[in-house]
């Protein structure tokens, strides 16, 4: 999400209304969204605008690049001479929009008031500024004289109107009793702060209202299946028929290929399609969480949920099932969750630290010790032993465990009745109170499932292993997309897929090989593949398969780069990535896209690779056609609209 406030003669204009002799202060509010929260946030701003004496004209704008609409508008308005009257905010839903959005909105009204006051000196502000509970959340500097005296007073106390005065006084006594000399002997950590935060008055968010009533009862019926706890549909339970490690043991990342037997289902797919794996949480983490919540003896109990002020009951799963299949127990707790945990923490020092982490003043500590450290609920409960939240609080705040999407790495023509996919086993250090090596929720689970029959790093053969392998997983098709081979097989295509991003292109090549076998006299366009990995001898995925496609004329151009291998006779070499190879073949790339009605497909990392490839394409088009980069960007946008520039990317 991107929030920006600018002023120009046209975009932000004051209109006078004679009704009741009031002056309506008016501004234009744009939001860019597909299925995100931007619209809801914009509507919330509109509602608050009326309360603060403003009027917002709300409009939706269309954007081409993911989450880039606000940035494009912001940059363009500044190019036209507009100036910010309020600092831009950038929010990320992955770590909690409230970290930026709520303070940004809260500070917007004072900034707007000051802007209208300075631009229309004759206007007198007839109403007070917002209460400090909102104003104190501002992230931008606002002139001190704009703050109401009440705001200054409110800053001296915890912003929690629900607490009794005696509780506040008791907490202040604890805070003031802490020894500064003692605290300075320590470094800040998840469980401990240092001055000035440890001695600061805090503005903490209001306590989120609870809305669930939870009851545990002895299980009376058969446990629900894993497929029944997810909302995706349809669900197919299919056995794993093969698992192969594609990388060597000394590779930085371990990459696995897993094959599923879908022959007894009506699951169908095209090369380029994605599908979802319904995954589960780690058994050991679920067990540890149950023990920490003192609910281990209730694991088989049925959980009955009731929404307050309603009679509709939900539930029916056991507690073990809900924690295993339904809730994202690895999710980084948002500030609202930390605020809710405060009221279930008995130790005063632990309570203070949780208050700091969810407060405005503790934003840096929250980012460092919670978000960046990938802390989860279990980490917090182990770090703060006196915190004893009820089960209902977990069910209200933990997000739903989502199915994980994967690209298909096979063609049904090449592997009838089979579906293959490729993934890296995600591993990371979670450094909270202790350093813990964790694996990804889904990739770690899948790796455990196939560990007993995992084949070593060899060429992935077409033949089955001949063993009847028992493990089954649940999968579901994903919404149809356009990441498919062109309807016209004579159209040339460029494929860009470093690392596991090569997966859908293996399906493309397998499919093309079968088509060419069936139509030997057909007219088939050129197929370019730009692939990259770290080391030629460690993680060159599908090396033999690509050589086969190249030798048989299926793949016409294979351009591979190795970012960590040094040339013979040199100790080091500059990093060499797919975007560098694309630049080296810029003339051919431009010819295919601009003169031969070709297609380009990009699969892999969205944060770095996809952006760098896009920038390289802009430079190539600008250079080869002699136009400005803005015109080159428009050309790429046109290719996207024509479905000739397609991306399957992930964060």
């Amino acid at each position: 999400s991107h929030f920006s406030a600018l002023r120009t003669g046209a975009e932000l204009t004051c209109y006078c209304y004679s009704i009741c002799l009031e002056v309506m202060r008016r501004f234009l509010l744009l939001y860019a969204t597909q299925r995100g929260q931007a619209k809801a946030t914009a509507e919330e701003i509109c509602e608050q605008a009326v309360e603060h004496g403003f009027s917002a004209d709300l409009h939706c704008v269309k954007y081409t690049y993911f989450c880039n609409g606000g940035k494009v508008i912001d940059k363009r308005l500044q190019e036209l001479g507009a100036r910010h009257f309020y600092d831009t905010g950038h929010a990320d839903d992955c770590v909690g929009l409230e970290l930026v959005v709520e303070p940004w909105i809260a500070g917007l009204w004072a900034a707007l008031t000051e802007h209208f006051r300075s631009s229309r000196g004759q206007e007198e502000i007839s109403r007070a500024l917002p209460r400090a509970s909102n104003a104190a959340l501002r992230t931008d500097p606002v002139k001190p004289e704009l703050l109401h005296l009440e705001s200054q007073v409110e800053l001296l106390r915890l912003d929690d109107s629900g607490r009794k005065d005696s509780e506040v006084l008791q907490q202040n006594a604890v805070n003031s009793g802490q020894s500064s000399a003692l605290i300075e002997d320590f470094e800040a950590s998840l469980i401990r702060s240092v001055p000035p935060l440890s001695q600061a008055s805090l503005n903490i968010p209001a306590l989120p209202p609870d809305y669930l009533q939870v009851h545990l009862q002895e299980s009376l019926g058969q446990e629900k299946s894993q497929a029944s706890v997810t909302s995706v549909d349809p669900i197919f339970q299919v056995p794993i028929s093969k698992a192969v490690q594609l990388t060597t043991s000394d590779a930085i990342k371990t990459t696995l290929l897993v094959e599923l037997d879908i022959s007894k289902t009506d699951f169908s797919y095209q090369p380029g399609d994605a599908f979802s794996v319904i995954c589960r949480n780690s058994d050991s983490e679920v067990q540890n969480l149950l023990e920490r919540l003192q609910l281990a003896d209730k694991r088989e109990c049925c959980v009955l949920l009731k929404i307050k002020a309603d009679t509709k009951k939900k539930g029916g799963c056991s507690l073990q099932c809900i924690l295993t299949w339904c809730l994202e127990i690895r999710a980084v707790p948002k500030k609202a969750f930390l605020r809710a945990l405060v009221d279930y923490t008995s130790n005063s020092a632990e309570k203070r630290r949780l208050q700091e982490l969810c407060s405005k003043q503790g934003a840096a500590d929250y980012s460092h010790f919670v978000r960046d450290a990938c802390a989860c609920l279990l980490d917090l409960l182990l770090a703060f032993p006196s915190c004893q939240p009820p089960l209902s609080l977990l069910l209200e705040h933990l997000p739903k465990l989502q199915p994980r999407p994967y690209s298909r790495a096979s063609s049904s023509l090449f592997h009838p009745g089979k579906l293959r996919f490729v993934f890296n086993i995600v591993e990371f250090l979670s450094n909270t109170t202790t350093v813990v090596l964790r694996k990804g929720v889904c990739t770690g689970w899948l790796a455990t499932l196939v560990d007993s029959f995992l084949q070593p790093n060899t060429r992935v053969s077409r033949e089955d292993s001949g063993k009847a392998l028992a493990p089954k997983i649940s999968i579901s098709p994903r919404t149809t997309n356009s990441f498919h081979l062109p309807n016209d097989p004579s159209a040339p295509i460029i494929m860009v897929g470093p690392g596991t991003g090569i997966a859908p292109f293996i399906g493309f090549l397998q499919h093309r090989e079968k088509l060419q076998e069936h139509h030997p006299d057909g007219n088939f366009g050129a197929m370019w593949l730009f692939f990259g990995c770290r080391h030629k001898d460690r993680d060159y995925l599908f090396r033999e398969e690509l050589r086969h496609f190249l030798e048989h004329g299926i793949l016409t151009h294979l351009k591979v780069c190795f970012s960590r291998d040094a040339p013979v006779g040199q100790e080091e070499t500059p990093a060499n990535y797919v975007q560098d190879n694309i630049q080296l073949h810029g003339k051919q790339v431009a010819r295919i896209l601009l003169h031969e009605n070709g297609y380009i497909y990009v699969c892999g990392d969205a944060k770095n690779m996809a952006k760098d490839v896009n920038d390289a394409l802009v430079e190539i088009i600008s250079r080869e056609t002699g136009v400005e980069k803005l015109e080159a960007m428009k050309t790429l946008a046109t290719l996207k609209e024509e479905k000739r520039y397609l991306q399957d990317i992930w964060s």
Side-chain angles (χ1 to χ4, degrees), residues 223-231 278-281 286 303 305 315-329 394-395 398-404:
E223 173 71 298
K224 289 188 176 182
S225 69
Q226 64 193 49
S228 66
V229 300
T230 181
S231 59
I278 289 85
C279 61
R280 58 178 291 164
N281 290 308
V286 170
V303 179
L305 307 180
C317 289
S318 70
L319 179 57
Q320 176 93 25
C321 175
I322 286 180
L323 292 180
T324 302
W325 291 101
C326 302
L327 299 178
E328 191 85 59
I329 63 175
L394 274 61
L395 299 181
L398 286 174
K400 178 182 176 182
L401 182 60
Q402 298 291 343
R404 269 41 174 187

Side-chain angles (χ1 to χ4, degrees), residues 400-569:
K400 178 182 176 182
L401 182 60
Q402 298 291 343
R404 269 41 174 187
Y406 292 94
S407 300
R408 296 166 171 88
S410 57
S411 165
S412 57
L413 295 181
F414 204 85
H415 294 288
K418 297 294 192 291
L419 185 158
R420 292 182 169 188
F421 65 105
V422 178
F423 60 89
N424 292 325
I425 301 176
V426 177
E427 293 182 320
F428 62 96
L429 290 176
S430 177
N431 186 8
T432 50
T433 52
T434 58
V435 178
V436 179
L437 178 64
R438 287 184 172 144
K439 294 184 177 181
V441 173
C442 189
T443 61
W445 170 61
L446 289 172
T448 301
L449 272 183
V450 305
D451 183 65
S452 62
F453 55 88
L454 184 65
Q455 299 177 25
N457 178 39
T458 57
R459 178 178 175 181
V460 185
S461 64
R462 302 192 199 183
E463 295 76 24
D464 294 334
S465 60
K467 300 178 181 178
L469 304 174
K472 288 187 175 182
I473 65 173
S474 293
I475 62 173
S476 177
R478 290 178 65 82
T479 304
T480 303
N481 59 44
S482 55
F483 201 84
H484 297 147
L485 284 167
N487 293 327
D488 179 7
S490 67
I493 68 172
I494 300 169
M495 301 171 287
V496 184
T500 56
I502 196 176
F505 305 134
I506 294 299
F508 281 11
L509 292 165
Q510 290 176 352
H511 199 76
R512 177 62 67 87
E513 180 173 3
K514 286 300 180 181
L515 289 179
Q516 292 189 199
E517 286 180 5
H518 296 158
H519 306 280
D521 298 327
N523 181 18
F524 295 95
M527 297 188 80
W528 287 65
L529 174 62
F530 290 91
F531 174 72
C533 59
R534 289 179 173 84
H535 302 282
K536 181 178 182 179
D537 296 327
R538 301 182 195 178
D539 51 7
Y540 189 166
L541 307 183
F542 299 102
R543 181 176 179 176
E544 295 302 319
E545 289 74 17
L546 294 177
R547 180 180 299 171
H548 164 81
F549 292 130
L550 194 61
E551 291 175 351
H552 287 75
I554 311 302
L555 183 60
T556 52
H557 299 83
L558 175 61
K559 307 301 176 183
V560 184
C561 53
F562 308 102
S563 61
R564 308 292 171 85
D565 282 344
V568 178

